[in-house]
Amino acid sequence: MSDLMKAVKFSSMIERIFEEYNKYNTIYNVENIYHANTEKRLNILNAKLENPVGAAAGPNTQLAHNIVADYAAGLRFIELKTVQILEKEALNIPKPCIRAEDECYNVEWSTELDILEAADEYIKAYLAIKVIAKELELGDPDGFIFNMSVGYDLKGIKSHKVDKFIETLKDARISKVWEESKNYLLDNLDRFKNIDRDFIESIDPHFVNSITLSTMHGCPPEEIEKIASYLLEEKKIHTHIKLNPTLLGYDRVRDILDKMGYDYIKFGKEGFDKDLKFDQAVKLIERLMDKAKKLNLEFGVKLTNTFQVDIKQNELPGENMYMSGKSLYPLTISLAYELSKAFDGKLPISFSGGADKNNIKDIFECGIYPITVATAILRGKGLDNAKNLAEILEDCDYPKDQITDTQKLKELKDKVLEDKNYKKSSAQKKKYAKKDYKGVKDDDHKCNVLCKTCVRVCPNRCNEVLKLKDEEIIIHMDKYCNECGNCQFLCIEPCRPYKDRITVFEDKKALMDSTNDGFAIENENIIARLNGEILDNLPLELEEIIDQIKQEKPYLLK
């Protein structure tokens, strides 16, 4: 199917990274590449993190090259995309599934890859980051952290496949991809200036020692506690549980969103009735903190999960969607305050609920970290926003111990109610109400305004700028794309870049599985479709595009 992503060959990824970097000084089209201050360290999870900003488990942490792009952009705590017992087509994720125009909505939740294929992607990403950190001097090769994410019930987590996923990330040597990728690096040492055999051999295969538990809305408290206990006691791994904004209660959530201008966001009381209650959460957390302490492990919470709301204006397909970004921030910071108060600042809290350039320093100075982002890198300049976030936190003092400042959190949660950065203005509300995306398709596959937004905001790095003789165009890479659709909602024309642009296919089958116009090169034969028809002869338009790709960006055809 054309909406299924393909795993990335490690050799192709490494070759592209260095070809692109040497020619354009970019990595997967990330222009604002971050070079870390290697003098600073934050002690967390028995590791030394060089910057506490990271990528939340989401579309940017699914494929190996996505994760490499995250790192290049400045994200150092990588929460890997959640895995669960369902995989691929069985997930039945409707498309498009992500919309990040202002606040963000999605209808997807866990990796769309096969579970063990996902593990291999994370191994390849880990090794690639080690290599570029050292070779390109982007930071300390040991200065980043991978954090795995699993869901959604104990039966699924104990299943053979999910269990093997956990064990593979704890010790990558049980995966063939570990040896294959290492051997590729060892066989190609002549490509590098700063990397030798000793460095490759010294890379630690035990590359994940922490886990974030994600549970479905309505998961019983006893099930959450059983899963967390299992991860601590049986898997012997540092554990955080992701909590829902529903802990604040229906009336408070409704009041906050109304005051902030999000009165159009609709949701019922049923989810609040089924979800974990605040008092239950406090008791559950107390028991799990005590258990972790006895095991010499860390237990904490991640705030927050996305917030389930109703689909009322055809924002995305289906009946319910998950809200994140700036509308989630006032809920998340309010819950952080309540939990900090309940635990006298002694509960480790990590953050993923609308962090951006305007609040990330305040959040960090409250003692909350790591701080992971999703919406901030799905809109605007996309991943090119991340370097600024990393530099903001790099300028902060790093604490020795993680203690949350309850008074600062109170001030922050009170201030946000009047903060224009997170309120929905009347103008924005009118624009939202009028937005009715119909998916306009143009006839010539070219942009009227080459803003390049689709290149920056694509989590899978699927869209590319190509310079032709007389103009620049956007081309689309099919094999990376899962048709999340985020690019179409941020396109100013509007169009659907993942549908309407000339598409490069991996092979004939991929082309035939799609309706996009474009081409595939298979065994040196070119198969093409234009205006919906398979062609016998290659037109000049496609000849020019193919010739230019071969000259300008040959790595796209590997």
Side-chain angles (χ1 to χ4, degrees):
M1 292 176 66
S2 62
D3 65 345
L4 293 180
M5 301 172 298
K6 304 287 180 65
V8 182
K9 290 182 181 179
F10 183 75
S11 57
S12 297
M13 181 172 63
I14 294 295
E15 287 168 17
R16 167 173 177 162
I17 288 168
F18 288 102
E19 283 182 40
E20 181 185 346
Y21 185 82
N22 290 334
K23 190 169 186 178
Y24 300 108
N25 199 34
T26 62
I27 296 175
Y28 282 98
N29 294 312
V30 174
E31 295 180 355
N32 294 339
I33 293 178
Y34 174 71
H35 294 259
N37 177 355
T38 56
E39 300 299 315
K40 300 192 74 170
R41 291 292 184 277
L42 195 64
N43 295 321
I44 183 172
L45 300 170
N46 287 343
K48 295 185 183 298
L49 185 63
E50 64 188 7
N51 197 297
V53 67
N60 287 81
T61 62
Q62 192 158 203
L63 291 169
H65 72 274
N66 302 20
I67 299 167
V68 171
D70 292 339
Y71 177 86
L75 305 177
R76 292 299 188 260
F77 187 89
I78 308 294
E79 188 184 82
L80 303 167
K81 182 77 168 178
T82 308
V83 303
Q84 59 152 321
I85 190 61
L86 294 177
E87 53 193 358
K88 290 200 167 182
E89 293 95 331
L91 290 168
N92 196 28
I93 295 173
K95 302 296 173 70
C97 57
I98 300 172
R99 187 169 187 162
E101 291 156 286
D102 196 17
E103 70 267 23
C104 185
Y105 299 104
N106 73 82
V107 290
E108 52 90 49
W109 48 94
S110 55
T111 183
E112 295 175 52
L113 296 170
D114 174 277
I115 294 167
L116 298 180
E117 191 176 57
D120 288 342
E121 286 298 286
Y122 302 154
I123 290 169
K124 289 182 282 187
Y126 170 74
L127 286 170
I129 289 173
K130 287 282 189 178
V131 168
I132 67 171
K134 177 79 169 176
E135 179 68 9
L136 303 180
E137 298 179 336
L138 301 186
D140 184 339
D142 297 324
F144 67 98
I145 292 176
F146 274 19
N147 171 256
M148 74 175 98
S149 177
V150 299
Y152 290 98
D153 58 28
L154 185 58
K155 182 179 178 182
I157 290 169
K158 281 187 170 183
S159 68
H160 172 72
K161 263 197 166 182
V162 177
D163 183 72
K164 188 172 181 181
F165 169 85
I166 293 172
E167 292 303 316
T168 300
L169 267 62
K170 288 171 63 180
D171 188 345
R173 289 174 297 183
I174 67 176
S175 168
K176 290 182 181 179
V177 166
W178 174 261
E179 284 303 318
E180 290 171 357
S181 301
K182 267 189 64 180
N183 288 337
Y184 169 81
L185 294 172
L186 291 169
D187 291 342
N188 289 274
L189 288 174
D190 58 330
R191 291 175 176 264
F192 309 117
K193 296 179 181 179
N194 300 322
I195 290 174
D196 57 19
R197 179 172 294 273
D198 288 344
F199 175 77
I200 299 299
E201 295 290 3
S202 71
I203 297 176
D204 189 355
H206 307 93
F207 74 103
V208 180
N209 72 346
S210 64
I211 197 163
T212 297
L213 169 64
S214 185
T215 57
M216 286 291 189
H217 296 271
C219 185
E222 57 272 19
E223 177 79 353
I224 296 173
E225 187 164 2
K226 283 179 182 177
I227 301 170
S229 296
Y230 169 76
L231 295 173
L232 289 165
E233 294 173 334
E234 300 297 326
K235 297 287 111 178
K236 302 289 191 293
I237 193 165
H238 302 295
T239 302
H240 281 62
I241 57 173
K242 193 180 291 184
L243 297 177
N244 294 332
T246 50
L247 286 174
L248 292 170
Y250 175 85
D251 290 338
R252 188 167 178 189
V253 169
R254 183 73 273 170
D255 181 59
I256 290 173
L257 290 179
D258 288 350
K259 285 179 178 176
M260 301 291 289
Y262 301 101
D263 51 306
Y264 58 88
I265 294 177
K266 305 300 181 185
F267 50 89
K269 293 184 178 181
E270 302 81 17
F272 292 82
D273 294 337
K274 294 178 182 178
D275 263 7
L276 182 71
K277 306 299 184 295
F278 188 84
D279 290 344
Q280 292 175 320
V282 169
K283 292 176 182 177
L284 179 153
I285 292 167
E286 286 175 343
R287 292 191 293 270
L288 290 171
M289 286 180 73
D290 183 59
K291 188 168 292 186
K293 186 177 180 180
K294 291 175 181 176
L295 294 167
N296 198 30
L297 293 169
E298 180 180 303
F299 175 82
V301 298
K302 177 146 193 168
L303 303 181
T304 62
N305 207 342
T306 51
F307 179 49
Q308 182 173 308
V309 301
D310 301 334
I311 294 174
K312 290 295 186 182
Q313 299 187 51
N314 297 315
E315 294 95 341
L316 289 170
E319 296 180 357
N320 303 109
M321 58 188 178
Y322 300 96
M323 180 196 84
S324 59
K326 75 177 196 178
S327 52
L328 186 59
Y329 174 62
L331 304 181
T332 304
I333 208 67
S334 295
L335 183 55
Y337 163 70
E338 297 296 343
L339 285 169
S340 178
K341 183 170 64 172
F343 287 91
D344 195 26
K346 296 175 183 176
L347 172 65
I349 299 174
S350 60
F351 196 92
S352 181
D356 62 21
K357 65 180 181 179
N358 299 303
N359 61 24
I360 195 166
K361 181 179 180 181
D362 290 333
I363 295 168
F364 180 68
E365 290 183 342
C366 286
I368 293 177
Y369 55 85
I371 302 169
T372 58
V373 296
T375 304
I377 54 176
L378 286 170
R379 55 189 309 273
K381 292 183 178 180
L383 270 179
D384 281 328
N385 292 319
K387 181 180 180 181
N388 183 34
L389 300 179
E391 288 175 343
I392 289 171
L393 294 190
E394 186 179 276
D395 288 340
C396 296
D397 293 330
Y398 287 5
K400 291 183 179 180
D401 299 304
Q402 189 167 15
I403 304 293
T404 53
D405 189 322
T406 304
Q407 180 56 38
K408 281 187 178 180
L409 276 169
K410 182 180 186 306
E411 293 168 2
L412 201 53
K413 66 99 176 172
D414 289 342
K415 183 177 76 171
V416 72
L417 295 175
E418 300 301 326
D419 192 330
K420 65 180 182 180
N421 292 303
Y422 307 102
K423 296 184 80 168
K424 194 80 167 183
S425 69
S426 297
Q428 288 171 324
K429 286 170 71 172
K430 287 178 182 178
K431 183 178 178 182
Y432 181 89
K434 289 180 180 178
K435 188 78 172 182
D436 184 19
Y437 181 77
K438 298 184 186 303
V440 177
K441 179 175 175 61
D442 54 23
D443 294 326
D444 64 1
H445 310 98
K446 295 175 183 177
C447 298
N448 295 318
V449 180
L450 193 72
C451 67
K452 305 179 186 177
T453 297
C454 63
V455 177
R456 299 185 183 99
V457 303
C458 176
N460 293 342
R461 322 308 288 169
C462 297
N463 301 314
E464 294 276 343
V465 178
L466 187 68
K467 295 181 180 180
L468 300 180
K469 183 178 180 181
D470 299 318
E471 61 185 335
E472 287 185 320
I473 65 169
I474 301 292
I475 58 173
H476 179 69
M477 306 302 298
D478 174 74
K479 65 181 176 180
Y480 303 150
C481 185
N482 65 337
E483 300 191 358
C484 77
N486 188 48
C487 59
Q488 72 181 4
F489 297 117
L490 282 87
C491 179
I492 63 174
E493 293 206 27
C495 72
R496 301 170 299 172
Y498 71 109
K499 289 286 190 183
D500 301 342
R501 299 293 169 251
I502 291 295
T503 298
V504 181
F505 293 96
E506 188 175 33
D507 51 33
K508 180 179 179 180
K509 182 180 184 305
L511 183 145
M512 300 305 293
D513 284 345
S514 173
T515 59
N516 285 21
D517 285 348
F519 67 91
I521 301 177
E522 190 173 89
N523 299 323
E524 298 186 3
N525 296 316
I526 299 174
I527 308 99
R529 179 194 289 119
L530 203 60
N531 300 320
E533 295 185 5
I534 301 298
L535 306 176
D536 294 325
N537 298 307
L538 196 65
L540 290 175
E541 175 187 354
L542 288 184
E543 277 190 11
E544 183 183 7
I545 289 172
I546 293 170
D547 288 345
Q548 195 59 24
I549 291 173
K550 289 179 178 179
Q551 292 180 43
E552 184 183 335
K553 297 185 175 184
Y555 46 78
L556 298 181
L557 301 177
K558 294 179 181 179

